[in-house]
Amino acid sequence: ESPGIKDFEASFLQMVDLVSSGSSISINETGTKLRYKPGAIDGGFELKHDCPTSRGIGYFLEPLILISIFGKKPTEITLTGVTDCSKDLCIDTIRNVTAGLIRHFGVEEKIAIKVLVRGVAPRGGGKVSVWIPIIKALKPVSLLEPGKIKRFRGTAYVCRCSPQFANRMVTSSRAILNRFIPDVYVHTDHCKGKAGGLSSGFGISLTAESINGLILSTQSLPTESAMPEEVGEKCAKQLVEQIAQGGCVDSNHQAMMCVLMALSPEDVSRLRIGKLSKSAIEILRLLQTFFGVTFMIKPDNKTNTVLLSCVGAGFQNFSRKHC
C-alpha cells in the first residue's frame, strides 16, 4: 500500500473544516505527516460536501453526527457520493438505526436524513440531505436488557437494474426471518434513471426491533457475481447472528456508542454488547488517550455477552447559543 493520507481522509478533514471555524490543517508534501489544530464547531445551513467514491457517505456522516451535535447551531448539509457500499454503513442503516441510538443519550430532536438520489459503488452519484440538531450535554445511558425481538423491517434497493432483483432479495430474506416471528416487512426501493445514480447495483439492509425499543441492523451488497437470493439470505443470517450475540447494539455501532458514553457526564454509563468488534477495541484505546476515559470490560458468562461501563468525561457544548 502507498503511504500517506488517502483521498477520503483528506476529504474528511475538509468536511470537518467546513463545519468549524478557526481550525488549521497542514500536511507535508509526502502526505505522511498531519498537523491539525481544532477550532470551534459552528454547524451551519445549506452546506455542501462532495465525498470521494473510494468510501461511502456513511464513512463521513457517522463522525459528522458526533461532531455536529456539539455545534453552535444546527447543521444542514448535503453530501454527494456513494450512498451504499460494503465498506461503510449504508444510508438506510444510518437513517433507521444510528440516528435512533443517539436519542438514548438525550438528543431529543430527531436527526433528519433524506435520500435525494441513491448511488452505489463504483461511480456513486448519490445525494443525501442531512439535518443535525445541537445539544447542551449528553445523558448517561444504561442499556443492559436487549429484550425479545418483536418485528423485522428492511429496505431492498435496486439502482439501474431489474426491479425483480429487489423482490428476490425480499423473498429470500423473509424465508429465514419468518421462521421466528410473522411481523416481517421489507420495503422495496426501485431507483431508475437519474434517481439511481451513476452505477447499477443492488443491496439490502435489515433491522430487528426489540420490545425495549432497541434496534439491531445488518446490511449486505453483492460480491462479484452474487445473485439477489444470496444477498438477501446472507443479510438475514447476519441479522439472526447479531440477535444471538445478545447485545443491545449491533457490531457496526459498538464504536459509536463507546464514543458517546465517553462524552457523557461524569456519571456511570453501562452497555451490554455481544462480541467486541475490532473497531470498538481501537476506539477504546483512542478514548483513553484523548479523553482519559477507561472502560471496564466485564464478560458475562451466563449470557455470553460483554458488559461495558465507564465514567464519562463530562463534555459540554459551551458554544451553543441557547440552552
Side-chain angles (χ1 to χ4, degrees), residues 47-319:
L47 303 175
K48 293 181 180 179
H49 183 70
D50 186 24
C51 309
T53 55
S54 50
R55 293 300 288 260
I57 286 177
Y59 171 85
F60 300 87
L61 184 52
E62 190 180 0
L64 178 64
I65 292 172
L66 295 174
I67 294 168
S68 298
I69 57 174
F70 294 105
K72 186 181 289 185
K73 51 184 179 283
T75 301
E76 182 191 358
I77 188 168
T78 301
L79 301 171
T80 54
V82 177
T83 58
D84 303 275
C85 73
S86 55
K87 289 181 183 177
D88 306 295
L89 290 179
C90 70
I91 202 66
D92 293 309
T93 302
I94 294 177
R95 180 172 55 184
N96 299 327
V97 184
T98 312
L101 284 172
I102 304 262
R103 302 184 80 173
H104 289 289
F105 290 87
V107 182
E108 294 175 0
E109 290 185 76
K110 190 176 181 181
I111 297 170
I113 300 172
K114 188 176 181 181
V115 182
L116 305 174
V117 179
R118 194 182 286 273
V120 296
R123 294 175 63 199
K127 192 175 182 180
V128 178
S129 173
V130 185
W131 186 86
I132 305 166
I134 55 174
I135 190 171
K136 179 69 178 172
L138 298 171
K139 294 179 181 176
V141 295
S142 182
L143 300 175
L144 301 175
E145 295 298 329
K148 292 186 176 180
I149 301 301
K150 64 177 181 179
R151 66 167 71 101
F152 290 113
R153 294 290 183 266
T155 302
Y157 55 87
V158 290
C159 297
R160 293 177 170 267
C161 52
S162 170
Q164 284 301 316
F165 283 16
N167 297 331
R168 287 159 66 182
M169 285 188 288
V170 171
T171 303
S172 61
S173 60
R174 282 183 65 106
I176 293 172
L177 299 179
N178 273 132
R179 298 176 193 171
F180 301 97
I181 53 174
D183 191 357
V184 180
Y185 179 72
V186 184
H187 166 71
T188 56
D189 185 11
H190 178 218
C191 306
K192 54 186 178 181
K194 291 182 179 179
L198 302 174
S199 294
S200 59
F202 57 91
I204 185 171
S205 68
L206 296 172
T207 62
E209 186 179 347
S210 76
I211 56 175
N212 292 341
L214 297 168
I215 303 177
L216 306 176
S217 66
T218 52
Q219 60 188 50
S220 182
L221 283 88
T223 53
E224 297 178 358
S225 57
M227 299 298 287
E229 289 83 0
E230 295 170 347
V231 175
E233 183 181 343
K234 178 185 173 185
C235 193
K237 286 181 176 178
Q238 287 176 341
L239 184 59
V240 173
E241 172 61 30
Q242 289 291 337
I243 296 167
Q245 287 187 19
C248 292
V249 295
D250 55 68
S251 301
N252 291 328
H253 289 94
Q254 287 179 12
M256 186 196 76
M257 292 294 282
C258 289
V259 174
L260 290 166
M261 287 168 69
L263 295 174
S264 296
E266 295 177 16
D267 199 354
V268 179
S269 289
R270 298 180 181 88
L271 174 68
R272 185 185 298 277
I273 60 171
K275 186 180 177 182
L276 200 61
S277 65
K278 288 183 179 178
S279 58
I281 294 169
E282 289 294 326
I283 284 289
L284 291 175
R285 290 171 179 156
L286 289 171
L287 290 172
Q288 190 173 31
T289 304
F290 283 89
F291 293 100
V293 175
T294 303
F295 278 73
M296 183 178 175
I297 305 170
K298 184 181 177 183
D300 186 348
N301 295 324
K302 286 184 180 179
T303 56
N304 288 325
T305 57
V306 178
L307 292 171
L308 291 179
S309 60
C310 76
V311 176
F315 192 82
Q316 290 192 21
N317 183 3
F318 292 109
S319 62

